[in-house]
Structure formats: C-alpha cells, structure tokens
C-alpha cells in the first residue's frame, strides 16, 4: 500500500488544478487563434502589396502611353479652351442676329415708304422712313405692328414736308 | 527559482505555482495580440489606402488613355477649326481679308476700313474693333452684314448705321473680333480627361459651317540648294 509522504497542505487543491488546466487550454487556443490571425494578416498584406505593385506597374505603362499621346492631349485642351471662348462670344447679343427678319420686314413696307436711315445696335433699332402719302404711313405702321418682331415700337418723331412727304422716326426694341 | 525555492522547499504556495504558467502564457498572448493588432491593422489600413489611391489613379489614366486614343484621329482638324474661330493673335488682318472676300461675293463695295482704335480685354479674351463702310443696294448690303456672322475668326457686329439715298445704301458698321492666348500648360496627369460634351460637339458643328480664312499662317520654306548661275 502506497503511503503519501507529502504533507497534504503542500499539494495543490483539485479546483485550482482544474482552473490552471483550463487557463492553459485557453492560452493554447488563444495562441492558435493568434497564429492563424497573424498568418492571415501576413497573407492579406502580401495580397495587397502584390495588387499595389501590379497597379503601380500598370500605371507606369498607362503613363507612358499617355505621354506618347501628349500632342493629342494638347490639342484636346486647346479645342476645349477655344470652345469655351466661342461659347462666350456666341452668347453675347449680336446686332446682326435679327438682320434677316428686319430685312424681310423693311422689304415688305409699301412702295410709298422708303427707309432713309436704320441704326442697328445690339438691343434696339432706330428707323427713319420717308412716306409719300398718308395711307402709306398707316400701312407702314400696320406692317411693323403685324410683323411682331419687336415688343416696343416708340414713335420718336413724326414730321411732314410738302416736297418729300411724311417722315417717321421709330425706335424698335424688345 | 532560486528565490522562490529555498533549501528544496518552495516559498510560493503550490496553488499559486500551478497558476503561474497559464497566467504568463495569457499575458504574453494579450501583449502579442495588442502589438500585432496595433502594428498590423495600421499597416493593412495604410496599404489599403495606397491601393485605393493607386486603383483610382489607374482608372483615371485608363479613361484618359481611352479618350485620347478616341479623339486622336479627329482632334487635329478640330484644333485647326477652333483656332481659326478664336485665334491666339489679333485676327484683324484675317477678318479684313474675309470681309473683302465677302464683299466681292455679295457685290458690295467696302471702304474706310479702320482697325483697333478701341481694343480691350474681356474675361481672358482680347477684342479688336474693325469699322468700315459698305456700299451697294439695300438687299446686298444686308446680306453682306448677315454673312459677317458666318466667317472665321468669329466676329460680332456692334452697331450698324444704314443710310439710303438715291437707290444706294451705305452701312457704316463697327465689328468686333476676338482672340485669346492658347493655354500654356496641360492639366495634371492625375486630373481626369474630359471628352467633348454634346454642347461642345454642337459648337464644333456650328464652327465647321464658318468660312475659314484663306490664309492661316505663312510657314517659311526650307532653304534650297542654289543653282550655279554660271553653268550653262
């Protein structure tokens, strides 16, 4: 029969051994998880680094290709720059914009009316007409009104000369 | 162990002694985990950021390359077209040449041509005033004036004073033409390239309808071998 010579108070108690074993197991499991995580992290880093270096290589290739197209880029930039200015200019009011309609209008005036002076600016037209008879005056004004080309028709002056007839000075604007 | 053991007998109670190794292991594990998490995650984050930037740049470069390759064939003619519409130098001479051509095609007489008495700058663009008198019959004069908006370099009529006497019409006209210096530098490489928009394409279409100036630039001819005048 074996006899335990060790004092019973020196040997660790059962629950303590159990706890120690559990802690040891937890530590080992933790190390396993840690190593797996570390390996995953390294693999992930390697994956990102590989992607990064291949992206950098592709970038360099693209840069070389773009460099070879530099002249095209210069021209494209210039075209866009010129178009910006073109848009700016074409956006402005031009005194020649309504010339076609004005021409049609002036040519449709009655025969007794003749245009002696037309001052065309960007925002208004000043028109001086000579009309030989009074019916021509009403016809001319009716033609101007009917054309609907101008929102405002202001009569600046109206006169009569027995030798030449009526003269009408109008300001037409929108 | 020398400290905790004296004359073969441990000074530390056995209960604590069995707990030392697991505690040390767990402590080491925690310290390592914290270190790896701190260093590793920051490294991964910085690499991911770099990768995102690199991929974004790559996409920009790819798109830029595609756009440039796409417009490569036509951009030269577009550049000529747009540069003839808004040149980089004072276009007065070209405009006068255009007006003279226009006058002869419309059978009107051009006189009193004056250039640049009042020039100025506007939103990065310079402008030059060209004034002239045009004589002819009423219809031709108006046609001529209308056609001034169909010439390159693009010009605008500031004002027209038309006087009619004995069947002859005289239009005293002030026309403004524009120019602007060419861009001096290209945008940064990482700036995305923009293809021509629908609006720009329609502007190009309207520019293509303009009559280009008969001369653009006189290029000096290369020196040629001089023939010996004494050889027969």
């Amino acid at each position: 029969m074996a006899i335990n010579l060790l004092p019973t108070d020196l040997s660790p108690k059962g629950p303590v051994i159990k706890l120690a074993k559990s802690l040891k197991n937890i530590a080992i499991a933790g190390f396993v998880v840690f190593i797996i995580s570390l390996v995953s992290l390294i693999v992930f880093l390697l994956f990102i680094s590989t992607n990064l270096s291949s992206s950098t290589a592709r970038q360099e290739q693209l840069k070389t290709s773009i460099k070879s197209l530099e002249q095209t880029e210069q021209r494209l930039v210039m075209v866009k720059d010129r178009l910006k200015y073109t848009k700016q200019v074409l956006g402005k009011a031009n005194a020649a914009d309504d010339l076609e309609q004005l021409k049609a209008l002036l040519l449709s005036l009655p025969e007794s009316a003749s245009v002696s002076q037309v001052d065309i600016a960007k925002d208004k037209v000043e028109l001086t007409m000579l009309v030989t008879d009074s019916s021509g005056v009403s016809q001319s004004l009716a033609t101007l009104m009917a054309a609907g080309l101008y929102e405002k028709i202001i009569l600046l002056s109206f006169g009569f000369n027995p030798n030449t007839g009526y003269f009408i000075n109008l300001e037409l604007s929108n | 162990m020398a400290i905790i053991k004296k004359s073969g007998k441990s000074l530390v109670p056995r209960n604590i002694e069995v707990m030392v190794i697991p505690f040390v292991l767990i402590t080491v594990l925690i310290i390592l985990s914290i270190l790896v998490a701190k260093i590793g995650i920051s490294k991964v984050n910085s690499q991911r950021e770099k990768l995102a930037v690199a991929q974004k740049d790559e996409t920009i470069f790819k798109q830029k390359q595609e756009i440039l390759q796409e417009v490569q064939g036509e951009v030269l003619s577009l550049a000529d077209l747009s540069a003839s519409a808004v040149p980089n130098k004072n276009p007065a001479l070209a405009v006068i040449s255009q007006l003279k051509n226009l006058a002869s095609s419309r059978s009107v007489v051009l006189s009193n041509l004056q250039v640049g008495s009042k020039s100025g700058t506007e939103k990065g663009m310079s402008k030059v005033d060209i004034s002239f008198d045009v004589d002819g019959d009423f219809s031709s004069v108006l046609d001529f004036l209308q056609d001034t908006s169909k010439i390159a370099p693009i010009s605008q009529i500031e004002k027209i004073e038309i006087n009619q006497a004995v069947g002859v019409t005289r239009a005293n006209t002030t026309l403004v033409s524009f120019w602007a210096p060419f861009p001096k530098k290209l945008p940064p490489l990482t700036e995305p390239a923009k293809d021509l928009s629908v609006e720009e394409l329609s502007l190009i279409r309207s520019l293509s309808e303009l009559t280009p100036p008969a001369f653009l630039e006189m290029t000096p001819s290369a020196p040629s071998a001089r023939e010996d005048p004494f050889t027969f």
Side-chain angles (χ1 to χ4, degrees):
Chain A
M1 189 183 166
I3 304 165
N4 185 9
L5 295 172
L6 284 169
T8 49
D9 61 324
L10 284 179
S11 60
K13 286 169 186 163
V16 175
I17 292 172
K18 248 183 181 175
L19 182 68
K21 268 187 180 172
S22 302
L23 284 175
K24 214 173 174 179
N25 285 341
I26 289 169
I28 289 165
F31 266 106
V32 170
V33 171
F34 171 76
I35 288 165
I36 290 169
S37 308
L38 191 69
V39 170
S40 308
L41 194 75
I42 292 167
V43 168
F44 189 57
L45 263 174
L46 279 173
F47 174 72
I48 292 178
S49 302
T50 316
N51 272 357
L52 187 64
S53 57
S54 60
S55 175
T56 313
R58 283 196 299 271
Q59 269 187 51
E60 288 307 315
Q61 274 182 351
L62 287 166
K63 274 185 193 172
T64 317
S65 170
I66 290 170
K67 202 88 182 154
S68 69
L69 292 164
E70 198 177 65
Q71 219 172 10
T72 307
E73 192 182 3
Q74 279 174 2
R75 285 172 183 154
L76 183 65
V77 168
M78 197 192 83
V79 169
K80 282 187 164 280
D81 180 73
R82 297 296 98 176
L83 290 178
K84 180 186 82 184
Y85 290 123
T86 305
K87 192 182 163 195
Q88 211 171 299
V89 175
L90 297 182
K92 290 176 170 191
N94 186 354
D97 285 345
D98 296 330
L99 273 179
E100 195 172 346
Q101 286 164 295
L102 185 70
K103 181 186 162 192
L105 176 69
L106 297 180
L107 291 174
S108 66
L109 288 173
E111 276 184 24
S112 56
S114 64
V115 177
S116 62
Q117 192 172 337
V118 190
D119 292 349
I120 304 164
K122 285 175 183 174
D123 52 346
K124 63 175 181 180
V125 175
E126 208 179 307
L127 175 69
T128 308
M129 290 188 294
L130 289 174
V131 190
T132 49
D133 53 62
S134 59
S135 64
V137 173
S138 57
Q139 272 181 32
S140 303
L141 290 176
T143 309
L144 284 173
M145 302 274 279
L149 193 56
Y150 300 98
E151 284 173 11
K152 279 189 211 165
I153 299 175
I154 301 168
L155 181 65
L156 295 175
S157 62
F158 183 81
F160 176 71
N161 184 323
N163 298 323
T164 53
Y166 300 91
F167 84 85
I168 311 167
N169 190 9
L170 298 165
E171 187 187 289
L172 315 169
S173 63
N174 283 315
Chain B
M1 289 309 263
I3 301 166
I4 53 172
K5 277 190 178 177
K6 203 172 179 184
S7 62
K9 193 182 175 187
S10 175
L11 291 176
V12 181
R14 285 287 293 163
N15 280 348
I16 295 173
E17 205 178 310
V18 288
M19 297 293 277
V20 168
I21 292 171
F23 268 114
V24 168
L25 282 176
I26 287 174
T27 313
V28 169
L29 179 66
I30 290 169
I31 292 168
L32 278 176
S33 300
I34 291 170
L35 275 175
V36 167
K38 210 174 172 185
I39 298 167
I41 289 172
S42 71
K43 186 84 180 160
V44 166
N45 280 343
S46 78
Q47 288 290 90
R48 279 181 63 186
E49 276 169 24
K50 279 185 194 168
L51 183 65
V53 171
Q55 283 175 338
K56 190 182 158 205
D57 285 351
E58 195 188 326
T59 314
I60 290 171
F61 292 154
K62 210 178 271 178
Q63 179 233 20
K64 202 169 196 169
Q65 187 202 32
E66 280 169 11
I67 288 175
L68 293 177
Q69 280 173 342
E70 197 182 301
V71 298
Q72 195 178 13
E74 56 179 359
V75 78
L76 178 63
S77 62
L78 297 184
D80 287 344
L81 195 68
S82 59
S84 72
V86 183
N88 65 330
K89 288 175 187 163
N90 190 331
L93 271 178
V95 172
I96 289 171
S97 151
Q98 290 280 56
L99 291 175
K100 287 191 170 173
N101 289 340
L102 209 59
S104 67
S105 72
R106 286 288 178 190
S107 309
V108 291
V109 179
L110 211 59
S111 58
N112 295 332
L113 269 160
Q114 288 181 342
V115 177
S117 58
K118 193 180 75 184
S119 300
T121 314
E122 200 180 292
K123 289 181 189 169
M125 252 189 322
S126 302
K127 57 179 187 177
V128 59
D129 285 5
I130 300 163
S131 60
F132 54 88
D133 289 342
V134 50
D135 297 85
D137 66 79
F138 185 70
S139 189
S140 306
V141 168
L142 284 186
D143 286 342
F144 169 84
L145 292 173
Q146 261 179 274
D147 286 353
T148 55
S149 56
K150 293 175 191 162
I151 57 166
I154 47 173
S155 313
Q156 285 204 315
I157 292 180
E158 282 263 298
K159 59 173 182 166
I160 312 165
E161 287 173 24
I162 301 173
N163 288 293
Q164 277 207 108
V166 217
V168 178
T169 303
R170 166 167 281 209
N172 179 274
T173 311
T174 306
L175 187 128
V176 187
S177 199
F178 303 87
W179 82 96
F182 287 149
K184 287 189 175 65
K185 56 181 180 182
L186 287 174
L189 198 64
T190 48
E191 194 175 294
K194 287 177 195 151
D195 203 356
L196 293 166
S197 65
V198 178
E199 191 190 10
E200 286 171 327
L201 287 172
S202 94
L203 266 179
I204 287 172
R205 268 194 294 279
S206 61
L207 289 186
S208 65
E209 286 163 12
L210 301 179
T211 311
F215 62 90
L216 280 173
E217 202 158 304
M218 300 295 282
T219 46
S221 55
S224 54
R226 196 173 173 187
E227 281 178 29
D228 185 356
F230 302 104
T231 52
F232 295 100

